[in-house]
Amino acid sequence: MESIKIIDIVGTAAFSMAGTFAAMEKKLDIFGIFIIAFVTALGGGTLRDILIGELPVKWMLNPSSGLIVLLSAIAALLFKTVIKNYHNVLLFFDSIGLGFFTVVGIQTGISLGFHPVICIALGTMTACFGGVIRDISLNNIPLIFQKDIYATTCIFGGIVFFILLKMGVTIMPIEIICLVTVVLFRLLAVKYHWQLPAIWKKEKPTL
Amino acid sequence: MESIKIIDIVGTAAFSMAGTFAAMEKKLDIFGIFIIAFVTALGGGTLRDILIGELPVKWMLNPSSGLIVLLSAIAALLFKTVIKNYHNVLLFFDSIGLGFFTVVGIQTGISLGFHPVICIALGTMTACFGGVIRDISLNNIPLIFQKDIYATTCIFGGIVFFILLKMGVTIMPIEIICLVTVVLFRLLAVKYHWQLPAIWKKEKPTL
Amino acid sequence: MESIKIIDIVGTAAFSMAGTFAAMEKKLDIFGIFIIAFVTALGGGTLRDILIGELPVKWMLNPSSGLIVLLSAIAALLFKTVIKNYHNVLLFFDSIGLGFFTVVGIQTGISLGFHPVICIALGTMTACFGGVIRDISLNNIPLIFQKDIYATTCIFGGIVFFILLKMGVTIMPIEIICLVTVVLFRLLAVKYHWQLPAIWKKEKPTL
């Protein structure tokens, strides 16, 4: 239980920091930066809870996640030069967040008796759509619609999850394997610049 | 019943293809294209279900609509040159989707006992707001806020619906007439370039 | 009760007019203008109701708020030159809307037993996020993420609200003081160009 809480905090904080940096690039003021940090960290889970009707959304009932977002946004603002030097640390934390939120989303779907495809969609949404709402708010086309290996990582982790479940593995090890799969897959994708083939590219480069 | 399912599939597929083409223009990758196709086809109904509190949203309980979106997006990607040559066929299917989703939205409002104005708003939302969310996600100002005959078609069809209802016509013929009205009105609007008078134009063209 | 209704109407109308003017600047057609007016006036409350699960959203059950939006949007279109000359009147009405919707949002949070921080967030959301959705729809980065004194006004009013509540003041005077605080703070902020210190400014102007 305790370890889950720590992973949750680490993931939320990493997502909040990623949002803070994106908002600073657009030169938002303090209020805007905090809203973008909040949306990046909690937007995916919020969208999931709205779509499944788990309302009021969780962060209203317990302000602790909002506090984590606020504190890590402040930390990102104060120590931005330091933190950016630890780019690899941030990427590692972000990957842990990605894996953890994927598992949380899949579990939510399973507890509601949804089809595995919908469960994987919920996992991907929980992990990735905070970033989508952030990008749309900042007037960008969502990054993950252009560099798909990010969301693909969650989908791949989700498929691993359900293969193991079919094989009769118990839930605890499945969760850990799914999380580790997402983290490894993401780190390898970043390191080796993996990208899905982009269909439209067939046309342009020949010119 | 069967004919309703076929119309639903045709409309969903046409909307999904329209979304696929819009996403390809922005050079999204495969994941992004599928999300935009999904949002275009099912976003309007999803927004409607959120606003009325019909949660979880329908496509979570039954993944078949997601499957239709996926298959028609793949078809649009594979046969894009062929399909684009059949521009008129796609427009026709799109109009059928527009009419069908308008009727579905109005029916939803009636079943909840809403005021006719709200029912027509729900019909228009179901038919048009998938495209709105798509345009906002792709960083465009929604097309239907600039070329209003699209949404006006649904509003007009909705008014016809409630006039016939007041006149005591039974529900089945009303639905068919409403659908046909929207399809015809839309095809005529496209053919003859109908547009509502734009208020702001009064100022500019004199310069 | 009557006075509350009048303040509600004044605030909704002022927000609707602000939305209408923003939509006209982007040269939307009549349909687009009305949707943006609607979203500006009722979007904040709608988002709040979705997040807390108060569904169907209020404007579906009672079309009178939609009617106020429509009538004030038409008024703004017809008398735009006249109204814009009364810029100060519009700012005053807009500030009243800001204060009123802040109080409404806070009250909603209290009635659900939420933490004061969440209540203030709900008040700020009710008052400010219609404008956020408007700006995102019009392809702008939300104004209040860049000029924070707008949302800060609501947060400040909310803090005053809960300080008075802790001090044992009864609810009616608290509501009035909170509303007046927001209105005064906002008018002073506009008059004296108050802005929160923007963190990123430290780096740039030295170049």
Side-chain angles (χ1 to χ4, degrees), chain A residues 120-150:
Chain A
I120 296 175
L122 282 174
T124 309
M125 189 187 290
T126 309
C128 299
F129 270 62
V132 170
I133 307 175
R134 174 198 64 204
D135 290 344
I136 292 174
S137 303
L138 293 177
N139 207 5
N140 298 323
I141 295 181
L143 212 65
I144 66 158
F145 293 174
Q146 298 165 288
K147 301 193 169 179
D148 56 354
I149 227 58
Y150 197 78

Short mmCIF file of all heavy atoms in Angstrom, two decimals, chain A residues 120-150:
data_model
loop_
_atom_site.label_atom_id
_atom_site.label_comp_id
_atom_site.label_asym_id
_atom_site.label_seq_id
_atom_site.Cartn_x
_atom_site.Cartn_y
_atom_site.Cartn_z
N ILE A 120 -7.80 -1.02 -21.68
CA ILE A 120 -6.52 -0.50 -22.18
C ILE A 120 -6.69 0.96 -22.60
O ILE A 120 -5.82 1.81 -22.34
CB ILE A 120 -5.99 -1.37 -23.35
CG1 ILE A 120 -5.67 -2.78 -22.83
CG2 ILE A 120 -4.76 -0.74 -23.98
CD1 ILE A 120 -5.26 -3.76 -23.92
N ALA A 121 -7.83 1.29 -23.22
CA ALA A 121 -8.10 2.68 -23.60
C ALA A 121 -8.14 3.57 -22.35
O ALA A 121 -7.59 4.68 -22.35
CB ALA A 121 -9.42 2.78 -24.36
N LEU A 122 -8.77 3.06 -21.27
CA LEU A 122 -8.83 3.85 -20.02
C LEU A 122 -7.45 4.04 -19.42
O LEU A 122 -7.12 5.11 -18.91
CB LEU A 122 -9.75 3.15 -19.01
CG LEU A 122 -11.25 3.32 -19.23
CD1 LEU A 122 -12.04 2.47 -18.24
CD2 LEU A 122 -11.65 4.79 -19.09
N GLY A 123 -6.62 2.99 -19.49
CA GLY A 123 -5.25 3.10 -18.99
C GLY A 123 -4.46 4.14 -19.78
O GLY A 123 -3.80 5.00 -19.19
N THR A 124 -4.56 4.08 -21.10
CA THR A 124 -3.85 5.03 -21.96
C THR A 124 -4.34 6.44 -21.71
O THR A 124 -3.56 7.40 -21.63
CB THR A 124 -4.06 4.64 -23.44
OG1 THR A 124 -3.73 3.26 -23.60
CG2 THR A 124 -3.20 5.49 -24.35
N MET A 125 -5.67 6.59 -21.58
CA MET A 125 -6.27 7.90 -21.32
C MET A 125 -5.77 8.47 -20.00
O MET A 125 -5.36 9.63 -19.93
CB MET A 125 -7.79 7.72 -21.26
CG MET A 125 -8.58 9.00 -21.21
SD MET A 125 -10.32 8.59 -20.95
CE MET A 125 -10.74 7.86 -22.52
N THR A 126 -5.78 7.65 -18.94
CA THR A 126 -5.33 8.10 -17.63
C THR A 126 -3.89 8.60 -17.70
O THR A 126 -3.54 9.63 -17.12
CB THR A 126 -5.43 6.96 -16.59
OG1 THR A 126 -6.74 6.40 -16.65
CG2 THR A 126 -5.16 7.46 -15.19
N ALA A 127 -3.06 7.86 -18.44
CA ALA A 127 -1.64 8.18 -18.49
C ALA A 127 -1.33 9.33 -19.43
O ALA A 127 -0.45 10.14 -19.16
CB ALA A 127 -0.84 6.94 -18.89
N CYS A 128 -2.07 9.43 -20.54
CA CYS A 128 -1.65 10.34 -21.63
C CYS A 128 -2.50 11.58 -21.82
O CYS A 128 -2.01 12.57 -22.38
CB CYS A 128 -1.63 9.59 -22.95
SG CYS A 128 -0.49 8.21 -22.99
N PHE A 129 -3.77 11.58 -21.40
CA PHE A 129 -4.63 12.66 -21.83
C PHE A 129 -4.52 13.93 -21.00
O PHE A 129 -5.02 14.98 -21.41
CB PHE A 129 -6.08 12.18 -21.96
CG PHE A 129 -6.34 11.66 -23.35
CD1 PHE A 129 -5.62 10.57 -23.82
CD2 PHE A 129 -7.21 12.29 -24.22
CE1 PHE A 129 -5.81 10.10 -25.12
CE2 PHE A 129 -7.40 11.84 -25.51
CZ PHE A 129 -6.70 10.74 -25.96
N GLY A 130 -3.84 13.86 -19.84
CA GLY A 130 -3.47 15.10 -19.18
C GLY A 130 -2.59 15.93 -20.10
O GLY A 130 -2.81 17.13 -20.26
N GLY A 131 -1.63 15.27 -20.74
CA GLY A 131 -0.75 15.96 -21.69
C GLY A 131 -1.50 16.48 -22.90
O GLY A 131 -1.18 17.54 -23.44
N VAL A 132 -2.53 15.73 -23.34
CA VAL A 132 -3.34 16.17 -24.48
C VAL A 132 -4.08 17.46 -24.14
O VAL A 132 -4.04 18.44 -24.90
CB VAL A 132 -4.33 15.06 -24.91
CG1 VAL A 132 -5.33 15.60 -25.91
CG2 VAL A 132 -3.58 13.87 -25.48
N ILE A 133 -4.74 17.49 -22.96
CA ILE A 133 -5.48 18.69 -22.57
C ILE A 133 -4.51 19.86 -22.38
O ILE A 133 -4.81 20.99 -22.76
CB ILE A 133 -6.29 18.43 -21.27
CG1 ILE A 133 -7.16 17.18 -21.42
CG2 ILE A 133 -7.15 19.63 -20.91
CD1 ILE A 133 -7.89 16.78 -20.16
N ARG A 134 -3.33 19.57 -21.80
CA ARG A 134 -2.30 20.61 -21.66
C ARG A 134 -1.94 21.22 -23.02
O ARG A 134 -1.96 22.43 -23.19
CB ARG A 134 -1.05 20.02 -21.02
CG ARG A 134 0.13 20.97 -20.97
CD ARG A 134 1.44 20.22 -20.75
NE ARG A 134 1.72 19.34 -21.89
CZ ARG A 134 2.48 18.26 -21.84
NH1 ARG A 134 3.04 17.89 -20.72
NH2 ARG A 134 2.67 17.53 -22.92
N ASP A 135 -1.66 20.35 -23.99
CA ASP A 135 -1.22 20.84 -25.29
C ASP A 135 -2.32 21.66 -25.97
O ASP A 135 -2.05 22.70 -26.57
CB ASP A 135 -0.79 19.67 -26.19
CG ASP A 135 0.50 19.04 -25.70
OD1 ASP A 135 1.20 19.67 -24.89
OD2 ASP A 135 0.82 17.91 -26.13
N ILE A 136 -3.57 21.18 -25.88
CA ILE A 136 -4.68 21.92 -26.49
C ILE A 136 -4.84 23.28 -25.81
O ILE A 136 -5.02 24.30 -26.46
CB ILE A 136 -5.99 21.10 -26.43
CG1 ILE A 136 -5.86 19.87 -27.34
CG2 ILE A 136 -7.18 21.94 -26.84
CD1 ILE A 136 -7.03 18.91 -27.26
N SER A 137 -4.72 23.31 -24.47
CA SER A 137 -4.84 24.57 -23.73
C SER A 137 -3.73 25.55 -24.12
O SER A 137 -3.93 26.76 -24.14
CB SER A 137 -4.76 24.33 -22.22
OG SER A 137 -5.76 23.43 -21.82
N LEU A 138 -2.55 25.01 -24.42
CA LEU A 138 -1.42 25.87 -24.77
C LEU A 138 -1.38 26.13 -26.27
O LEU A 138 -0.39 26.64 -26.79
CB LEU A 138 -0.10 25.24 -24.31
CG LEU A 138 0.09 25.15 -22.81
CD1 LEU A 138 1.40 24.45 -22.49
CD2 LEU A 138 0.09 26.55 -22.20
N ASN A 139 -2.46 25.76 -26.95
CA ASN A 139 -2.59 26.11 -28.37
C ASN A 139 -1.60 25.33 -29.24
O ASN A 139 -1.15 25.82 -30.28
CB ASN A 139 -2.38 27.62 -28.54
CG ASN A 139 -3.10 28.16 -29.75
OD1 ASN A 139 -3.83 27.44 -30.40
ND2 ASN A 139 -2.89 29.42 -30.03
N ASN A 140 -1.24 24.10 -28.80
CA ASN A 140 -0.42 23.21 -29.63
C ASN A 140 -1.25 22.01 -30.07
O ASN A 140 -2.20 21.62 -29.38
CB ASN A 140 0.77 22.68 -28.82
CG ASN A 140 1.69 23.78 -28.36
OD1 ASN A 140 1.91 24.76 -29.08
ND2 ASN A 140 2.21 23.64 -27.16
N ILE A 141 -0.91 21.42 -31.21
CA ILE A 141 -1.47 20.11 -31.54
C ILE A 141 -0.84 19.11 -30.59
O ILE A 141 0.38 19.11 -30.41
CB ILE A 141 -1.16 19.73 -33.01
CG1 ILE A 141 -1.88 20.70 -33.95
CG2 ILE A 141 -1.59 18.30 -33.29
CD1 ILE A 141 -1.67 20.40 -35.41
N PRO A 142 -1.67 18.27 -29.92
CA PRO A 142 -1.11 17.36 -28.92
C PRO A 142 0.10 16.58 -29.45
O PRO A 142 0.04 15.97 -30.50
CB PRO A 142 -2.28 16.43 -28.60
CG PRO A 142 -3.47 17.30 -28.82
CD PRO A 142 -3.13 18.17 -29.99
N LEU A 143 1.17 16.63 -28.66
CA LEU A 143 2.43 15.99 -29.01
C LEU A 143 2.24 14.51 -29.30
O LEU A 143 2.82 13.97 -30.24
CB LEU A 143 3.40 16.17 -27.83
CG LEU A 143 4.86 16.30 -28.17
CD1 LEU A 143 5.11 17.57 -28.95
CD2 LEU A 143 5.71 16.32 -26.92
N ILE A 144 1.42 13.83 -28.48
CA ILE A 144 1.33 12.37 -28.63
C ILE A 144 0.53 11.97 -29.86
O ILE A 144 0.50 10.80 -30.20
CB ILE A 144 0.70 11.69 -27.39
CG1 ILE A 144 -0.75 12.09 -27.22
CG2 ILE A 144 1.50 11.99 -26.15
CD1 ILE A 144 -1.51 11.08 -26.39
N PHE A 145 -0.13 12.95 -30.53
CA PHE A 145 -0.77 12.61 -31.81
C PHE A 145 0.26 12.63 -32.93
O PHE A 145 -0.01 12.22 -34.04
CB PHE A 145 -1.88 13.61 -32.14
CG PHE A 145 -3.05 13.55 -31.21
CD1 PHE A 145 -4.09 14.47 -31.31
CD2 PHE A 145 -3.15 12.56 -30.24
CE1 PHE A 145 -5.16 14.42 -30.45
CE2 PHE A 145 -4.23 12.51 -29.38
CZ PHE A 145 -5.24 13.44 -29.50
N GLN A 146 1.45 13.16 -32.63
CA GLN A 146 2.47 13.27 -33.66
C GLN A 146 3.65 12.32 -33.41
O GLN A 146 4.26 11.83 -34.31
CB GLN A 146 2.97 14.71 -33.72
CG GLN A 146 1.85 15.69 -34.11
CD GLN A 146 2.23 17.12 -33.83
OE1 GLN A 146 2.29 17.53 -32.67
NE2 GLN A 146 2.51 17.87 -34.86
N LYS A 147 3.93 12.09 -32.11
CA LYS A 147 5.00 11.16 -31.75
C LYS A 147 4.39 10.02 -30.96
O LYS A 147 4.40 10.02 -29.75
CB LYS A 147 6.05 11.89 -30.91
CG LYS A 147 6.68 13.08 -31.63
CD LYS A 147 7.90 13.55 -30.88
CE LYS A 147 8.67 14.55 -31.72
NZ LYS A 147 9.85 15.07 -31.03
N ASP A 148 3.90 9.03 -31.71
CA ASP A 148 2.97 8.10 -31.09
C ASP A 148 3.57 7.11 -30.11
O ASP A 148 2.86 6.42 -29.44
CB ASP A 148 2.22 7.33 -32.16
CG ASP A 148 3.16 6.63 -33.09
OD1 ASP A 148 4.39 6.84 -32.97
OD2 ASP A 148 2.69 5.89 -33.92
N ILE A 149 4.89 7.00 -30.04
CA ILE A 149 5.46 5.96 -29.20
C ILE A 149 5.08 6.18 -27.73
O ILE A 149 5.08 5.23 -26.94
CB ILE A 149 6.99 5.87 -29.41
CG1 ILE A 149 7.39 4.41 -29.58
CG2 ILE A 149 7.77 6.49 -28.27
CD1 ILE A 149 6.72 3.71 -30.70
N TYR A 150 4.73 7.38 -27.35
CA TYR A 150 4.32 7.68 -25.98
C TYR A 150 3.06 6.89 -25.60
O TYR A 150 3.08 6.11 -24.66
CB TYR A 150 4.07 9.18 -25.85
CG TYR A 150 4.04 9.71 -24.46
CD1 TYR A 150 5.21 9.92 -23.75
CD2 TYR A 150 2.84 10.01 -23.84
CE1 TYR A 150 5.19 10.43 -22.46
CE2 TYR A 150 2.81 10.51 -22.55
CZ TYR A 150 3.98 10.72 -21.87
OH TYR A 150 3.94 11.22 -20.60
#
